[in-house]
Amino acid sequence: MPKTRVVEIEPVTRVEGHGRITVHLDEQNQVDEARLHIVEFRGFERFILGRPLWEVPVVVQRLCGICPVSHHLAAAKAMDRIMGVRKIPPTAEKMRRLMHYGQMIQSHVLHFFHLCSPDLLFGFDAPAAERNIFRVIETNPELARQGVLMRKFGQRLIEVTAGKKIHGTGAVPGGINKNLSIGERDGLLAELPQMLQWARGAVQIAQDYVTEHRALAESFASFNSSHLSLVREDGALELYDGQLRAIDASGNIIFDQVDNQDFNDYLMEEVRPWSYMKFPFIKRRGPIDGWYRVGPLSRLNCAGFIDTPEADQAHQAFKAFTGGQPNPMSLAYHWARMIEVLHCVEKVERLLHDPDLQGTDLIAQGERQEEGIGIIEAPRGTLFHHYKVDEQGLVTFCNLIVSTTNNNEAMNRAVTQVAKSHLSGQAKISEAMLNHLEVAVRAYDPCLSCATHALGQMPLAVELYDAAGGLVEQRVKA
Amino acid sequence: MSKKRIATVSLAGCFGCHTSFLDIDERLIDLLQLVEFDRSPLNDLKRFTRRCDIGLIEGGCCNEENVHTLQAFRRNCDILVAMGQCAIMGGLPVMRNAIMHSADPLRECLETAYQHSERVYNPSNQIPNDPALPLVLDKVYCLTDVVQIDYQIPGCPPSAETLWQFLSALVTGQPLALEYQQVKYD
């Protein structure tokens, strides 16, 4: 048995949720393998059983405080189906879209400005004590202020549509529980020109970064993969609704215009013993070759065009960068993410001028169904919610594939590739080298709090003491 | 006045309390005049660098690692704050403690997620159990089950306004007077 060393990063920081990276090095200090472990287990798919269907869109958000709207809307879309509603009223759909675009804006901005910008501004090698938003506020106050206020705008959109910035209640099975008041609308409209300007600036920052660091972007966690996303019938980028499209690394269609309700025919998840997060794959291609990527990069790779003018122009520049071929670079996620922010701001502007938002027809009725699937493009990628409900309205089955889960294999490949190129042969591994691994993971903006849904073989005691020092609980891993 | 030193962590939470904290928006800039941050998921300090005045904790304990982290916070912080419903009483994750008609809720949760599904490819039929994964606790515990907590801020999540007023009062030593409407679960 050769001796190996294990280098560990725990916890992975400046991401949402809880992860750990391990790198296994052999005697020659060559990287054997590197893994991103998702270390938390919740059990939502089991403990939601027996709960009333009305509760689900509100409860399920509590899986993730960064992207709660995505879960809220995916669950609501599934429950629309279960209520027998194929089409919710226009006011309801537009309110939900407004909520969703607000969510995209705030989540993407949070990731780019609050979490990732230190890596891009100060370099991957900057001292650990420097790499945070607080330092960005000190050194680039104007940029930080823009990030903070753009995110505030996104959160405000969520607040006026969902009733609350985090874990709201706006979407209900069959529709929405409020419309948009004129006062709320006008307050948002007043801020739009500024937001558009800043969104353009953010696209420029991200585009310049990838363009100026082209050699880095092409070598750092860049690899061929399939891509999956929802698209509109005409192939346009579509974030709230649409059908599934998958393409291979050369841009050839694997499948297209797959109806949401049929997704189980195309995708499956693999369990591996070292992570609580499963590994989805395209069934037709099998568990080895069937992995794919999702999220901003994949959406822009899958979409033929964008239906808002400025984002479409940015999209064309994005495509031209790789000669029309799908972009394989993990670092290009940042660029794609900011193009989506611009798109969402343009969409919000159109919606706010739509009188349907002041409509009063909020909820549609239909004939109850047993089963429903809701799919949405969450900030981090395609999110799948699948439920069955009995005649009492209680949940009898639940299966979720959370956005980040789709990128599980890709994130592990990114970590392994960067570990091999930056850590192999190094007798001494510096903190800065380790940050490179986290930069690779961060590009995917993983939301590890919601990506997890054991008891091993090693004896290990856990003791719980109460405040007075008395032993409350002792548990030994058998 | 020297700046107060704050550490934050999310244990078995959803990150929503941290997100809500960021909803103080422009006041983040004001806050940096009063405090400096030690270990937090918002920066890259992964361990305590020195003793802290305040520890803000989101989430309860669902695995051994959460317990160890919480104990480290108790050892290294003068004041510990349970931020939000998960930290106070377990929140959503605590739903796995009491599944009707189930003698072993945790086992059922694991089996549902990894074994009993035609949608899962799991040829060896194993539940994740690698040594790199922390041991899952039999139940989800709230913070006061494990250590002494000095303050609890209710809410799922507590609003940015509530967090701002609480922190401002704590950092400046002023009395805290939260509006009645701000002290609530949701």
Side-chain angles (χ1 to χ4, degrees), chain A residues 20 42 164 269 278 454 465, chain B residues 13 65 113-114 121 128 146 186:
Chain A
R20 161 185 294 178
R42 290 266 167 73
K164 199 167 158 233
E269 294 181 281
K278 289 176 249 187
Y465 291 90
Chain B
E65 213 163 66
Y114 301 107
Y121 175 74
V146 185
D186 187 27

Side-chain angles (χ1 to χ4, degrees), chain A residues 71-87:
Chain A
H71 287 293
H72 185 55
L73 292 178
K77 283 175 73 175
M79 293 308 166
D80 294 342
R81 283 268 171 176
I82 284 172
M83 298 307 285
V85 176
R86 285 282 178 124
K87 202 154 177 50

Side-chain angles (χ1 to χ4, degrees), chain A residues 84-115:
Chain A
V85 176
R86 285 282 178 124
K87 202 154 177 50
I88 59 175
T91 300
E93 187 188 319
K94 287 167 182 174
M95 284 294 284
R96 286 189 190 182
R97 280 184 178 270
L98 197 59
M99 194 193 302
H100 190 46
Y101 299 137
Q103 162 85 345
M104 277 281 175
I105 293 167
Q106 80 83 18
S107 175
H108 279 356
V109 166
L110 172 74
H111 173 259
F112 188 70
F113 288 87
H114 296 63
L115 300 175

Side-chain angles (χ1 to χ4, degrees), chain A residues 10-11 13-14 18 20 42 46 59 62 65 131 151-152 155 164 269 271 273 276 278 438 454 465 473, chain B residues 10-11 13-14 23 25-26 41 44 46-47 65 99 108 110 113-114 121 128-129 132 145-146 156 186:
Chain A
E10 196 284 313
T13 44
R14 288 189 287 128
H18 317 83
R20 161 185 294 178
R42 290 266 167 73
R46 172 62 186 85
V59 171
R62 268 86 182 170
R131 298 190 312 247
R151 193 174 158 264
K152 185 180 183 178
Q155 289 290 78
K164 199 167 158 233
E269 294 181 281
V271 177
Y276 284 121
K278 289 176 249 187
E438 292 187 85
Y465 291 90
E473 176 75 24
Chain B
S10 175
L11 303 175
C14 74
D23 281 339
D25 299 326
E26 309 94 302
D44 283 356
K46 301 182 191 288
R47 300 287 178 269
E65 213 163 66
I99 293 177
E108 285 198 30
L110 290 162
Y114 301 107
Y121 175 74
N129 61 357
D145 285 340
V146 185
C156 183
D186 187 27

Side-chain angles (χ1 to χ4, degrees), chain A residues 228-298:
Chain A
L228 174 90
S229 82
L230 292 172
V231 290
R232 215 164 63 181
E233 279 172 17
D234 55 5
L237 176 73
E238 170 59 53
L239 301 173
Y240 172 76
D241 221 349
Q243 290 77 33
L244 289 163
R245 169 182 287 181
I247 59 171
D248 67 16
S250 312
N252 304 311
I253 297 279
I254 300 172
F255 54 75
D256 198 9
Q257 302 301 326
V258 169
D259 188 274
N260 286 207
Q261 307 306 305
D262 302 329
F263 92 89
N264 283 306
D265 299 341
Y266 294 83
L267 301 177
M268 199 166 197
E269 294 181 281
E270 184 189 358
V271 177
R272 296 186 198 165
W274 46 268
S275 183
Y276 284 121
M277 191 156 80
K278 289 176 249 187
F279 292 81
F281 59 93
I282 294 167
K283 274 187 184 180
R284 199 185 305 165
R285 303 199 152 204
I288 307 290
D289 302 318
W291 65 282
Y292 53 89
R293 282 190 272 189
V294 299
L297 180 82
S298 300

